[in-house]
Amino acid sequence: MKTLTASEIIESESHFASGLYTKQPIIFVRGQGASLWDIDGVEYLDCNSGHGVANLGHAHPKVAAALAEQATKLVTLFESFYNDQRAALVQKMGTLMPGLDRVFFCNSGTESIEAAIKFSRISTGRAGIVATMRAFHGRTFGSLSATYNKKYREGFEPLVPGFSHVPYNNIEALEKAVTDETAAFIVEVVQGEGGVYPADKAYIQAARRICDAHDALLIVDEVQSGFGRTGKLFAVQHTGVTPDLLCCAKSLAGGVPIGAVLIGPKIKNLAPGVHGSTFGGNPLSCAAAVAALEIIEEEDLAGQAAEKGTYLMEKLSEINSPLIREVRGLGLMVGIELKQKVQPYIKELQARHILALNAGLTVIRLLPPLVITYPQLDHLVDTLRDVLSMELKDA
Ligand SMILES: Cc1ncc(COP(=O)(O)O)c(C=O)c1O
């Protein structure tokens, strides 16, 4: 393959790609831990993790080795045949959360939500899905119907019928919304895209009780919050609640595309042919996921996220800037809500070689790899302190 120059790379992506993404003029070619390097060798601190994918850090050698080895053995195999890597992964995943011992594999977060919605309808024979305001569950039709923000929904109506939305963290509203017609209530234990809002423990516990009272199912969306990000393997473990369906994706296979649904005993009617996925459970992503889950355990990434998250939020709370409305989050899923639009501040951070995300218009979202070092966290806080002392306006 011919090596493309920097301008050829930018020209071809600008010309031939879909146009669906706002592109930043930086070409990244390599990563290691919490660092990314651009084509000129300039190092950036990655507090995006590819929207919460790189929990293990970039280029983890154990994931690389598992991929390289499996690529020489068997990359693809439909789930109608057995496979050693898939067996190893289901065995591991079936013990991650007591009470959820079956697994469905797909390829992304939105597909895991689609599957959970379908499983709850086929299981209960009901159509109603209650979701929350500010929720983000994905962009395909089922998950988009559960997503709240009209920015994602507009232009695609009519969406799937049977969905309603209730205010987040409001037990009374949930009590009214869940009925004997409800198949499931779907909720993020920490809302990510919606602005980094952790649920109250009592809210998730009440959701369990309310769903049980109506024989409705509880789906938790751990696509962003899963695999150590919040200081526990899954964010729902902070609440003591076991859901009926747990959706996950992003960092499960150390950066390789994968999605999964953990399935509890109340889910019925999952007979052959009811649902499926060509790539789901392929040996390559399964091998990567087995390696990733071992790393999460061996390196105690959840424990690291808990400690580093507390450290980061304490340091951020000490920043004395009139721009900051609130610092909130759980583990290394952190939001800094400003009293104004965050985009110029994210741009300024990028100019100083730190990548951060927004969550809505006014929240800076930090999702660094869980292996980020303390000196890197200090550098992040120092840079944020500096940047948040500036008066920046939207260009
Ligand atoms: C909570 C949540 N659910 C679902 C999704 C959709 O995942 P994907 O982009 O892999 O389809 C996302 C993506 O950001 C997410 O944050």
Side-chain angles (χ1 to χ4, degrees), residues 50-53 107-113 135-140 143 147 188 190-193 221-225 247 249-250 258 333 365:
H51 280 67
V53 172
N107 313 289
S108 65
T110 198
E111 283 174 74
S112 72
I113 304 293
F136 183 84
H137 296 293
R139 297 166 185 269
T140 51
S143 64
T147 292
E188 294 158 273
V190 183
Q191 289 186 317
E193 298 290 321
D221 178 347
E222 297 262 6
V223 169
Q224 195 166 133
S225 57
C247 300
K250 291 206 193 271
I258 192 168
M333 192 166 175
R365 183 172 30 151

Side-chain angles (χ1 to χ4, degrees), residues 9-228:
I9 291 169
I10 290 178
E11 260 170 46
S12 46
E13 281 207 42
S14 306
H15 189 77
F16 293 110
S18 62
L20 289 168
Y21 301 90
T22 309
K23 295 277 205 189
Q24 305 302 317
I26 312 171
I27 303 164
F28 286 115
V29 292
R30 191 165 68 82
Q32 184 77 60
S35 294
L36 287 171
W37 283 268
D38 75 5
I39 196 165
D40 300 317
V42 176
E43 184 175 351
Y44 285 70
L45 177 59
D46 181 11
C47 295
N48 288 6
S49 301
H51 280 67
V53 172
N55 285 12
L56 280 57
H58 295 283
H60 197 293
K62 195 166 167 175
V63 175
L67 279 170
E69 192 184 339
Q70 191 58 35
T72 64
K73 285 186 184 162
L74 188 63
V75 169
T76 189
L77 185 78
F78 197 67
E79 272 217 42
S80 48
F81 295 99
Y82 292 94
N83 173 257
D84 55 342
Q85 296 301 324
R86 193 188 306 121
L89 182 57
V90 289
Q91 226 178 59
K92 257 196 162 319
M93 291 197 73
T95 57
L96 293 182
M97 249 203 100
L100 300 180
D101 54 10
R102 285 183 295 158
V103 194
F104 168 74
F105 290 118
C106 48
N107 313 289
S108 65
T110 198
E111 283 174 74
S112 72
I113 304 293
E114 295 295 330
I117 292 167
K118 286 181 76 179
F119 294 170
S120 38
R121 284 191 169 176
I122 197 86
S123 183
T124 60
R126 303 173 181 178
I129 306 287
V130 178
T132 62
M133 292 175 181
R134 289 194 310 244
F136 183 84
H137 296 293
R139 297 166 185 269
T140 51
F141 271 97
S143 64
L144 184 61
S145 305
T147 292
Y148 182 71
N149 192 329
K150 70 175 191 304
K151 164 177 115 176
Y152 301 110
R153 298 163 61 99
E154 253 172 18
F156 299 106
E157 289 97 352
L159 299 180
V160 180
F163 287 71
S164 59
H165 292 86
V166 289
Y168 193 68
N169 265 339
N170 183 327
I171 297 174
E172 226 173 277
L174 190 61
E175 255 158 2
K176 286 196 189 122
V178 175
T179 68
D180 292 351
E181 310 290 306
T182 304
F185 171 53
I186 179 166
V187 66
E188 294 158 273
V189 181
V190 183
Q191 289 186 317
E193 298 290 321
V196 193
Y197 289 96
D200 299 334
K201 193 172 166 180
Y203 181 61
I204 301 298
Q205 290 170 342
R208 178 69 282 175
R209 180 175 45 74
I210 293 165
C211 286
D212 285 346
H214 294 277
D215 284 329
L217 300 168
L218 177 62
I219 306 172
V220 298
D221 178 347
E222 297 262 6
V223 169
Q224 195 166 133
S225 57
F227 301 107

Side-chain angles (χ1 to χ4, degrees), residues 283-306:
L284 188 70
S285 53
C286 288
V290 170
L293 289 174
E294 280 171 10
I295 294 161
I296 290 170
E297 223 173 279
E298 285 161 12
E299 299 185 11
D300 185 21
L301 290 188
Q304 289 200 44

